[in-house]
Amino acid sequence: MEKWGASGRCTVQEQRARWERKRACTARELLETERRYQEQLGLVATYFVGILKAKGTLRPAERQALFGPWELIYGASQELLPYLEGGHWGQGLESFCPHLELYTEFAANAERSRTTLQEQLKKNKRFRRFVRLQEGRPEFGSLHLQDLLPLPLQRLQQYENLVVALAENTGPNSPDQQQLTRAARLISETAQRVYSIGQKQKNDQHLRRVQALLSGRQAKGLTSGRWFLRQGWLLVVPPHGEPRPRMFFLFSDVLLMAKPRPPLHLLQSGTFACRALYPMAQCQLHRVFGHSGGPCGGLLSLSFPHEKLLLMCTDQEELLHWHHSLTLA
């Protein structure tokens, strides 16, 4: 139980003791997880990268596409671990920071790595048999190669959480406080760059997926310079007649309205024909009808220079999601 001074606040000595407990706990977790991390890196480096290199099952370019700088990342962990085991946290982490660029490189290669693995497992019988054999080793504990490949990116997030906590719980008079603070800043900056790379890769996947679903002259060129926000069915309410269901794709700069192709279409069943492309920079979202929590959905009113759209959604929650996304575009 914490002891408090007469003012009801924790004394300086007690605060320092609390910092030290949190620091010791964080340092222990960093050390234990680094040992496990290095072990798993070593398994992949030995039983996959090393043996593939010796056997020639994959060409060098394919092997590089699959594993990226894996061996260099493994080497960086091998350099870091002795510092952590010796309790030289600041010195070890500061010397580790020049290797952070390897994690940015690994992140930039992540999509290529996933694609290469899928392609080789599909078309390369020797590689497929090799992977099954290696994954069956007891050292891997039923883990598959596809489970291990994201390991460095997962570890980078752990580095950020643990090193920031270690720096925050290191007293200002500690000899390694400045080193830990610098390391925490550099690791956080790298983690942010890696996150941005991952978001861009996911967005590119969405753009390619949407492009494959669409046909029509206006749908061409959708795969550059924009961010995918959401898609879904909405009812277009005309001035006269019945509402018509249309699929809408919302990007950071345009709203695309598409009509489904007939299900019995021989070549393009399941795809959509682009019917209109609305520039979001010229959109005015005037009002939302039925957003007060009722169960019956409502209407969105969008105005463009030469057209006004009245869109209906019967799902209240979906309506609110669309309204939020349209305000972000």
Side-chain angles (χ1 to χ4, degrees):
M1 181 179 293
E2 296 289 348
K3 295 182 179 180
W4 300 80
S7 64
R9 295 184 178 181
C10 194
T11 65
V12 173
Q13 292 82 358
E14 289 165 342
Q15 180 62 58
R16 287 175 178 170
R18 181 185 299 174
W19 281 344
E20 189 55 41
R21 286 194 300 273
K22 289 183 178 179
R23 172 186 163 94
C25 181
T26 303
R28 183 169 59 253
E29 183 178 355
L30 178 59
L31 173 59
E32 292 172 355
T33 54
E34 186 66 22
R35 284 171 174 159
R36 176 59 178 159
Y37 174 53
Q38 187 182 121
E39 177 187 346
Q40 292 179 315
L41 288 175
L43 288 174
V44 175
T46 300
Y47 293 112
F48 282 100
V49 185
I51 297 179
L52 284 171
K53 192 182 298 184
K55 291 170 65 72
T57 306
L58 292 181
R59 293 193 296 267
E62 294 167 342
R63 192 176 65 248
Q64 179 62 31
L66 179 56
F67 296 103
W70 190 281
E71 290 177 301
L72 295 175
I73 289 174
Y74 178 39
S77 177
Q78 288 178 308
E79 291 179 19
L80 174 61
L81 187 56
Y83 284 105
L84 303 185
E85 290 176 332
H88 306 298
W89 311 101
Q91 184 182 357
L93 289 165
E94 191 172 51
S95 66
F96 172 75
C97 284
H99 300 295
L100 288 172
E101 188 59 34
L102 295 171
Y103 286 82
T104 305
E105 180 184 341
F106 191 87
N109 186 65
E111 186 175 358
R112 184 175 171 224
S113 174
R114 286 191 294 268
T115 302
T116 301
L117 179 61
Q118 292 169 1
E119 289 177 350
Q120 292 301 316
L121 287 174
K122 183 177 180 180
K123 70 180 185 180
N124 188 332
K125 185 176 180 181
R126 286 183 61 204
F127 177 73
R128 186 166 61 248
R129 187 167 54 242
F130 169 80
V131 169
R132 277 202 303 264
L133 178 65
Q134 301 306 87
E135 290 175 344
R137 290 177 177 272
E139 294 91 341
F140 286 95
S142 300
L143 287 173
H144 298 285
L145 180 58
Q146 65 180 8
D147 302 322
L148 293 165
L149 285 177
L151 197 61
L153 301 183
Q154 296 166 1
R155 183 57 176 167
L156 179 64
Q157 187 59 62
Q158 291 177 333
Y159 279 142
E160 182 182 24
N161 295 337
L162 293 170
V163 176
V164 167
L166 194 62
E168 289 177 345
N169 290 289
T170 298
N173 297 323
S174 175
D176 61 353
Q177 199 272 341
Q178 291 187 354
Q179 292 174 314
L180 289 172
T181 300
R182 283 194 296 270
R185 176 178 57 81
L186 291 171
I187 290 172
S188 293
E189 290 173 355
T190 302
Q192 183 57 50
R193 286 196 296 273
V194 164
Y195 174 78
S196 299
I197 290 170
Q199 291 299 103
K200 185 179 184 304
Q201 290 175 346
K202 290 179 182 178
N203 183 66
D204 290 345
Q205 290 173 359
H206 277 302
L207 293 180
R208 288 193 296 270
R209 177 185 60 80
V210 172
Q211 184 73 80
L213 287 173
L214 294 170
S215 62
R217 182 175 57 83
Q218 288 180 298
K220 302 304 179 185
L222 280 176
T223 55
S224 62
R226 54 176 45 90
W227 288 84
F228 172 83
L229 297 180
R230 70 181 297 109
Q231 73 181 66
W233 290 98
L234 293 170
L235 295 170
V236 178
V237 182
H240 306 284
E242 294 295 319
R244 301 185 300 268
R246 293 292 183 265
M247 175 63 76
F248 283 86
F249 299 88
L250 178 62
F251 303 91
S252 54
D253 59 337
V254 293
L255 175 67
L256 187 150
M257 181 175 70
K259 181 180 179 180
R261 294 215 176 258
L264 297 181
H265 195 290
L266 291 177
L267 298 177
Q268 294 179 314
S269 174
T271 65
F272 298 85
C274 181
R275 283 292 178 258
L277 203 60
Y278 301 99
M280 293 307 298
Q282 301 175 16
C283 173
Q284 292 184 353
L285 181 61
H286 290 292
R287 53 166 73 171
V288 182
F289 301 87
H291 68 289
S292 59
C296 299
L299 299 171
L300 296 169
S301 176
L302 287 74
S303 291
F304 299 92
H306 304 293
E307 188 173 354
K308 183 174 181 179
L309 277 179
L310 197 58
L311 305 177
M312 178 186 292
C313 182
T314 57
D315 185 300
Q316 182 73 67
E317 187 174 350
E318 182 70 7
L319 178 80
L320 294 176
H321 286 322
W322 270 104
H323 180 257
H324 177 70
S325 297
L326 286 164
T327 60
L328 294 178

